[in-house]
Amino acid sequence: MTVALELFRSVPRYVAARAVGERLPGLIAGPLAPLRLVNRDPPEPPAEGWARVRPRLSGVCGSDLATISGRSSFYFSPLVSMPFVPGHEVVGDLGEDLDGLPAGTRVVLNPVLGCEARGLPLCPGCAAGSVDRCDRITVGHVAAGLQTGYCADTGGGWSGMLVAHRSQVHPVPDTMTDRQAVLVEPMACAIHAALRCRPEPGDTVLVVGAGTVGLLVLLALREFTEAGRITVVAKHAAQRDLARRFGASEVVAPAGAVTALRRSLRAFRLRPERGTPFLLGGVDGAIDCVGTRASLDLALRTTRAGGRVVLAGMPEGGADLAPVWFRELEVVGAYASGTETVNGDRRRAMDLAIELASELELDASATVEYPLDRWREAIDHALSAGRLGTMKVAFQPQEG
Ligand SMILES: [Zn+2]
């Protein structure tokens, strides 16, 4: 048996959680959360090429919090199978030999459950190395699930044991700490998002949000692009300090963002009869790392005509698309990660992320770990991470 945090379908709790939103995080992590701690049989490898993985650390992601608090779109409902164990940001130990990797190898996961993992002929996305664009995430060897952590058959990182396919696992160097390793998957997503923005040398870029995704996107922009001035919108004082340390040219609070950009870009600011002001002129590219209506509206309203807006946070919906039409914006998504072109080379984002995360200098307070049985505290902490200056809350499933 293994201990696991399981997400189950509960329509009344879902509706209540949605109504409460994130204004009362204590209530979300309390009686309303559709999560329960269970003892269950560990998942079995479903086919050749799969192995057990014992998670050492597994992060709590913004998309997990959106799912738990009922803010994720119903669009995703056919792309998951219930009940599932969340947790897709994982560093763990292989439970058995796997295709050249000996038992005990420390690995991180690309959680996407694409054609190779499912034992299927490759779809066009997978064939091109972009497993993030897989079309077959509901069929094959395991149940529907866009990723490990949303699939009923694979288990997830918030448990003592999951199963993973060889195509998902990436060994990490011994010199890398577990705390760096648990940031590899979000770092790979951030690299993908930064490169989807495609800034030209010297381009101005706006990063909306300074949580884990925003900070790692900022780092990736500095490492893999020649973006010029980067403005970061950060809600909390602790995040503003981190954003400056991670290479922001300018850090602003959400309320002052339009004014600050108007000044630094010499753009025109207009005030509509209702809603927030917008710019004529603006940044060359913007990356929304939050996914709320307000964050996407801000990105759309401050990007110059013909500019590019990347959706890096799972979008809640409801944003006003008028500027997309009027300013002829390119709006693109950035989901998970695949293969990127860097300096003419095709590299897996996970490999780039392992290199970059190895160099991350993390304060002792940047990541906080909880045993599974303190999950309510962990979720509460994750919901307040921005204010507390915590970059990552993670479960430590082998403790407690
Ligand atoms: Zn595929």
Side-chain angles (χ1 to χ4, degrees), residues 207-216 218 232-236 238-244 251-252 289-290 385-387 389-391:
V207 176
V208 184
T212 316
V213 182
L215 292 170
L216 296 181
L218 171 59
V232 176
V233 179
K235 202 168 180 180
H236 304 286
Q239 292 178 325
R240 290 196 273 276
D241 293 341
L242 284 166
R244 278 186 205 97
V251 186
V252 296
C289 302
V290 183
R387 184 172 51 77
T390 307
M391 245 188 89

Side-chain angles (χ1 to χ4, degrees), residues 113-116 121-127 130-131 133-137:
L113 290 164
C115 290
E116 225 183 319
L122 303 188
C123 73
C126 287
S130 296
V131 69
R133 295 188 178 181
C134 181
D135 293 329
R136 311 267 191 270
I137 45 176

Side-chain angles (χ1 to χ4, degrees), residues 3-237:
V3 68
L5 270 172
E6 197 173 75
L7 193 129
F8 59 100
R9 204 186 289 283
S10 160
V11 170
R13 287 194 211 197
Y14 179 88
V15 171
R18 201 174 170 98
V20 172
E22 284 187 0
R23 282 181 289 275
L24 295 170
L27 205 54
I28 297 293
L32 291 179
L35 273 177
R36 59 190 170 207
L37 192 66
V38 296
N39 270 303
R40 49 175 261 170
D41 291 327
E44 291 288 330
E48 276 292 295
W50 286 77
R52 277 172 275 257
V53 175
R54 253 189 310 276
R56 287 167 172 250
L57 289 181
S58 181
V60 178
C61 166
S63 59
D64 297 323
L65 296 175
T67 305
I68 293 169
S69 51
R71 283 181 302 111
S72 62
S73 166
F74 279 106
Y75 177 92
F76 296 109
S77 55
L79 302 175
V80 305
S81 45
M82 295 270 186
F84 61 79
V85 178
H88 58 274
E89 302 174 355
V90 180
V91 52
D93 299 311
L94 274 184
E96 53 239 309
D97 294 354
L98 179 62
D99 204 7
L101 298 174
T105 302
R106 198 165 54 122
V107 296
V108 291
L109 293 193
N110 181 343
V112 178
L113 290 164
C115 290
E116 225 183 319
R118 293 175 172 280
L120 301 167
L122 303 188
C123 73
C126 287
S130 296
V131 69
D132 50 317
R133 295 188 178 181
C134 181
D135 293 329
R136 311 267 191 270
I137 45 176
T138 58
V139 288
H141 283 149
V142 289
L146 62 168
Q147 299 188 351
T148 303
Y150 298 95
C151 171
D153 288 344
T154 59
W158 300 1
S159 74
M161 188 79 79
L162 59 90
V163 291
H165 185 258
R166 179 66 183 90
S167 62
Q168 296 183 285
V169 305
H170 300 255
V172 294
D174 292 341
T175 48
M176 188 176 226
T177 64
D178 286 343
R179 284 177 161 191
Q180 289 170 327
V182 80
L183 291 172
V184 167
E185 194 276 339
M187 180 78 89
C189 300
I191 292 169
H192 183 53
L195 294 174
R196 289 282 283 159
C197 188
R198 296 205 302 238
E200 297 288 328
D203 270 3
T204 52
V205 179
L206 175 71
V207 176
V208 184
T212 316
V213 182
L215 292 170
L216 296 181
V217 160
L218 171 59
L219 208 62
L221 283 167
R222 285 292 181 227
E223 182 72 19
F224 296 109
T225 78
E226 292 176 63
R229 188 178 179 82
I230 302 177
T231 302
V232 176
V233 179
K235 202 168 180 180
H236 304 286

